[in-house]
Amino acid sequence: MSAPAPTGDELLKVMATLANPHRLRVLAALAGGRDYVSRLARELGISRPLLQVHLRKLEAAGLVTGRTELSEDGKAMKFYEVNPFTIELTPQAIQAAVSTLTVPGADTEGSE
C-alpha cells in the first residue's frame, strides 16, 4: 500500500523546506542515523541556534522527528532522526496537488 499523495499545501511546505542548502545538509547527515543537536552542529560546522531553527522547520514539514532523552549523567539531549518519505514530482502529481491548494485571498475575491 502506498502513502496518499500530498495535498498542494503539504507539497509546497515540503518543497519550501527543502529549498535551503543547510536543511538539505541536515537531512543528508541524519540519513546516516539519528544524532543529537550538539554533535550534529559540530559535524555540519554551524551554530546550535541556527541548526535548531532548521531542525524546527524540518520537523514542521514532517521530514524529521525530535525526541528528548536523558543521558547517563542526567543531561537532557535532543535527538533527531529522518522520517521516511518519498516525493514523486511528476506533472500528474503537480496537477493533483494544485487542485487541493489553498489560495491566499481566494475567499475574498467575489465579495467586493
Side-chain angles (χ1 to χ4, degrees):
M1 180 184 269
S2 63
T7 66
D9 295 336
E10 291 167 342
L11 183 60
L12 278 178
K13 187 173 192 172
V14 168
M15 289 175 63
T17 300
L18 293 175
N20 180 286
H22 290 299
R23 291 192 281 273
L24 285 179
R25 291 178 61 225
V26 170
L27 277 178
L30 290 174
R34 72 187 202 121
D35 207 349
Y36 62 95
V37 173
S38 294
R39 183 168 46 200
L40 192 55
R42 284 191 304 273
E43 179 183 328
L44 296 173
I46 61 177
S47 70
R48 284 185 304 177
L50 178 60
L51 175 60
Q52 288 171 333
V53 166
H54 292 300
L55 286 166
R56 278 193 296 275
K57 289 184 182 209
L58 288 164
E59 196 168 24
L63 299 170
V64 302
T65 300
R67 189 175 0 267
T68 303
E69 298 177 15
L70 290 178
S71 66
E72 291 178 9
D73 61 355
K75 188 167 115 178
M77 299 171 66
K78 186 116 183 208
F79 282 85
Y80 283 89
E81 61 187 333
V82 174
N83 294 327
F85 66 91
T86 301
I87 300 169
E88 183 178 16
L89 203 53
T90 64
Q92 293 77 20
I94 292 171
Q95 185 179 32
V98 164
S99 69
T100 65
L101 276 175
T102 303
V103 180
D107 57 342
T108 60
E109 272 183 20
S111 62
E112 292 180 33

